[in-house]
Amino acid sequence: MTRTSNDRLFRRHDLTKELTPADEQHDGIAVLLYWPLVIEWYVCNAIMKDVGLGGAGLLVPLEKKIPSRLVVEIDGSVRIKGRVVYRRAISERLQFIGIDWRREADNKRRQVLKVAGMLMKDKVRSKRTKAAMSDVEDRELD
């Protein structure tokens, strides 16, 4: 039996507003993935596409071997352990993985949401600033 989004206990928040296919998207939050052994081994960079109290959806390179247990580091400030519960190839180079971190403490999971929200606000602010700057430059050229 396959899981659907209706099976989730916690709501997921999309970190992109794009309507383009997942393999062509470029928005999201950059995260680092580690393999939690005695010491943590770096696995790869990833893009967080959605996040919730129960877990997150990540885009990772298809050629990387992703272990079943991971540590996700967001913005160099928040680290949370999770396990891979879903894998799907979305292109020749990318796969989408679903991470479940419901076993982590509630305050840590809420901190992940807070940091993700702040990072997305900064992205929206920077896009607005770039748009405003281009409007000013266009007026100066006229």
Side-chain angles (χ1 to χ4, degrees):
M1 183 173 161
T2 58
R3 287 185 59 130
T4 64
S5 62
N6 296 334
D7 293 338
R8 292 193 177 120
L9 295 175
F10 300 101
R11 181 172 172 250
R12 288 276 179 98
H13 306 278
D14 286 330
L15 300 177
T16 179
K17 300 287 185 198
E18 297 181 21
L19 299 176
T20 56
D23 60 334
E24 297 174 13
Q25 292 181 6
H26 61 277
D27 274 355
I29 296 174
V31 298
L32 300 175
L33 302 180
Y34 295 93
W35 190 10
L37 297 171
V38 176
I39 57 172
E40 292 178 352
W41 290 91
Y42 170 77
V43 177
C44 67
N45 292 344
I47 301 293
M48 186 180 288
K49 302 307 283 180
D50 58 55
V51 65
L53 284 174
L58 308 174
L59 287 180
V60 297
L62 191 58
E63 76 270 3
K64 296 291 184 179
K65 299 288 185 195
I66 307 297
S68 60
R69 301 229 179 254
L70 291 169
V71 173
V72 180
E73 181 180 297
I74 306 165
D75 194 37
S77 62
V78 179
R79 298 169 68 89
I80 189 165
K81 290 181 183 177
R83 63 183 178 91
V84 177
V85 293
Y86 179 81
R87 296 174 193 257
R88 175 177 53 101
I90 59 170
S91 75
E92 295 174 359
R93 296 173 33 202
L94 290 174
Q95 66 177 318
F96 181 87
I97 62 172
I99 305 290
D100 178 7
W101 52 52
R102 288 180 292 177
R103 293 183 179 186
E104 289 293 303
D106 188 57
N107 62 343
K108 184 172 267 195
R109 295 183 294 147
R110 290 186 186 282
Q111 186 180 13
V112 167
L113 287 180
K114 182 178 177 182
V115 169
M118 289 183 342
L119 290 172
M120 288 310 294
K121 283 181 186 174
D122 289 345
K123 280 189 171 192
V124 169
R125 232 180 264 131
S126 68
K127 284 181 183 177
R128 286 182 184 154
T129 304
K130 287 178 186 175
M133 294 279 288
S134 65
D135 288 344
V136 169
E137 290 170 353
D138 288 345
R139 279 183 262 155
E140 288 176 356
L141 291 175
D142 291 338

